Amino acid sequence: MTDVTAHAPTDVTTDVTTDAATDAAGTAAPAGAEGTAARAAATLSRPFTVRGLTARNRIAMAPMTRRFSPDGVPGQDVADYYTRRAAGDVGLIITEGTYVDHASAGTSDRVPRFHGEAALAGWKNVADSVHRAGGAIIPQLWHVGVTRTEGAGPVPDAEPIGPSGLSLSGEPKGRAMTQQDLDDVIAAFADAAAAAERLGFDGAELHGAHGYLIDQFLWSGSNRRTDAYGGDLVSRTRFAAEIVAACRAAVSDAFPLFFRMSQWKSDAYDAKLARTPQELGDLLTPLAEAGVDVFHASTRRYWLPEFEGSDLNLAGWVKKISGRPTLTVGSVGLDDDFFSAFQGNDSKVTGIEQLLDRLERDEFDMVAVGRALISDPEWAAKTLRGRTADITPFTAEMLTTLR
């Protein structure tokens, strides 16, 4: 078992002292809408720096698969989509998941890839455009693993692969990965991270959440291996840690690595990688030691406590245990989680007072916003300037267009 005391972060600056921030943390906030606006301006407008990346504020755009990149190539419409959010004062753009260069990595030929001359040229245009608008941007690097739909693009004859040849529900699917498969996927992630730095991105995020390939190794429900990549929780982190280490070796010291993680899986919302803080420490320590700079803790509702006896959410616990900065995410600014959108349901705009409470006590470092930024590209600007009454509500129909 691993000691769950905090590990010191490296090359991270998150504490920016201003009179407004001091007032927000140290005195009673003014009541009503004006008080919330002042708190939002003081708390969310602080810059965030890790290694060579500086985001101008604490608001990030969460990665959301949109499927508007025919043949895996992001076009000008994708560049405009992200740039509108950067121009609307989002500090950090985390792109939708992008497939690494492995035949089984993807499951749609309309999801962007992060390899090949055309796709990388498209992504350079996206990064340059976001930078001109004042934002920072990192790509999310992705392999879907055994969740791949057989016969789907971008490589129709590619076989789904995973730790044990099992679906997330435990049924036989695809095949178990060989050592050569493991080596090839690790190299694909490292190549993508190096490409991201070469193209001028400000960092990269590894998608280790939601039941996709990296997460399939972390979770006992899908990892039944008996070699060094399976077994107890620490052993199940080996594949993820080797990917992180390979990416760290492929980029410069100035280039930060983010790691997205979750307890829940795409068809198992009650799944738990870690049922106690101690187990969470066992999971986080190898990843932090391998080179993760920031953890992006994905939850469906950010305000829910992760473990009994504390109101800390998952991002809060991850920060406390790992000593690394964290992003929180999950229904920020909306009254329902994202699964309701897939059922055709709309969501109403809600306040962020509890979010500010948690930020003011440094429970986490950044806030990733999803559907609220699909509905309103200016959500960040309106929130920072006290114009929340003007925020456009989310409707499920908005998922059908790239606006």
Side-chain angles (χ1 to χ4, degrees):
M1 302 296 281
T2 302
D3 184 4
V4 297
T5 54
H7 300 271
T10 57
D11 300 322
V12 177
T13 302
T14 60
D15 187 11
V16 179
T17 302
T18 66
D19 291 341
T22 301
D23 289 345
T27 65
E34 291 185 2
T36 298
R39 293 174 66 203
T43 305
L44 289 169
S45 64
R46 297 171 297 158
F48 172 79
T49 297
V50 56
R51 294 191 183 265
L53 180 158
T54 295
R56 58 191 165 185
N57 59 45
R58 301 304 178 99
I59 300 172
M61 181 178 184
M64 293 173 284
T65 299
R66 301 305 313 275
R67 293 187 176 88
F68 283 92
S69 298
D71 297 321
V73 177
Q76 188 60 45
D77 57 343
V78 174
D80 293 343
Y81 163 74
Y82 287 118
T83 302
R84 278 191 289 273
R85 277 75 190 168
D89 282 353
V90 171
L92 174 65
I93 303 289
I94 307 175
T95 74
E96 61 205 287
T98 66
Y99 298 147
V100 297
D101 188 9
H102 186 266
S104 299
T107 193
S108 169
D109 57 9
R110 292 186 59 81
V111 169
R113 48 188 164 86
F114 212 81
H115 60 91
E117 184 176 349
L120 293 181
W123 279 120
K124 178 170 175 47
N125 181 47
V126 172
D128 289 348
S129 184
V130 166
H131 287 152
R132 287 192 295 269
I137 182 170
I138 64 176
Q140 186 186 75
L141 308 179
W142 188 21
H143 193 302
V144 302
V146 79
T147 65
R148 169 174 160 71
T149 301
E150 296 186 62
V155 184
D157 60 352
E159 188 175 16
I161 59 173
S164 304
L166 298 173
S167 70
L168 294 180
S169 60
E171 300 298 322
K173 184 178 180 183
R175 63 174 175 82
M177 294 173 70
T178 65
Q179 185 62 55
Q180 186 62 56
D181 293 324
L182 299 172
D183 293 343
D184 289 346
V185 170
I186 291 168
F189 273 96
D191 288 348
E197 185 171 31
R198 187 170 65 249
L199 295 175
F201 282 83
D202 301 291
E205 177 170 279
L206 309 178
H207 196 341
H210 305 167
Y212 296 114
L213 181 62
I214 295 175
D215 195 25
Q216 288 160 24
F217 274 82
L218 298 175
W219 190 38
S220 61
S222 48
N223 185 347
R224 311 287 178 82
R225 297 176 75 98
T226 57
D227 62 4
Y229 294 93
D232 65 16
L233 182 53
V234 173
S235 298
R236 296 197 305 272
T237 67
R238 178 172 175 170
F239 180 57
E242 288 185 358
I243 290 175
V244 173
C247 291
R248 182 77 268 155
V251 299
S252 73
D253 288 343
F255 195 78
L257 296 177
F258 291 56
F259 188 93
R260 197 174 207 206
M261 57 173 292
S262 70
Q263 297 266 39
W264 63 271
K265 317 303 166 202
S266 58
D267 65 351
Y269 304 142
D270 60 349
K272 295 284 187 181
L273 292 177
R275 297 190 176 276
T276 65
Q278 183 71 55
E279 289 183 350
L280 186 59
D282 292 343
L283 170 69
L284 296 172
T285 299
L287 301 178
E289 291 177 347
V292 171
D293 296 297
V294 181
F295 286 100
H296 183 178
S298 176
T299 57
R300 296 168 65 191
R301 302 173 182 89
Y302 76 85
W303 56 86
L304 295 181
E306 190 58 38
F307 301 117
E308 291 185 6
S310 169
D311 66 352
L312 289 178
N313 71 4
L314 181 60
W317 273 108
V318 170
K319 180 177 181 178
K320 178 179 180 178
I321 291 170
S322 72
R324 298 293 192 263
T326 59
L327 284 79
T328 196
V329 68
S331 304
V332 174
L334 298 175
D335 69 346
D336 206 352
D337 69 31
F338 58 90
F339 290 103
S340 67
F342 302 147
Q343 298 166 354
N345 298 326
D346 303 338
S347 296
K348 296 178 182 178
V349 175
T350 62
I352 59 168
E353 289 80 7
Q354 185 178 160
L355 181 74
L356 298 176
D357 291 342
R358 291 169 181 266
L359 269 171
E360 286 167 354
R361 62 180 184 243
D362 292 324
E363 182 172 336
F364 38 74
D365 299 276
M366 293 195 79
V367 177
V369 181
R371 289 165 299 138
L373 275 170
I374 288 181
S375 61
D376 195 333
E378 295 187 345
W379 185 92
K382 292 176 180 178
T383 298
L384 290 169
R385 290 164 179 74
R387 296 167 49 208
T388 54
D390 299 332
I391 291 175
T392 303
F394 173 82
T395 66
E397 185 180 1
M398 291 174 174
L399 297 177
T400 65
T401 60
L402 200 67
R403 57 187 289 278

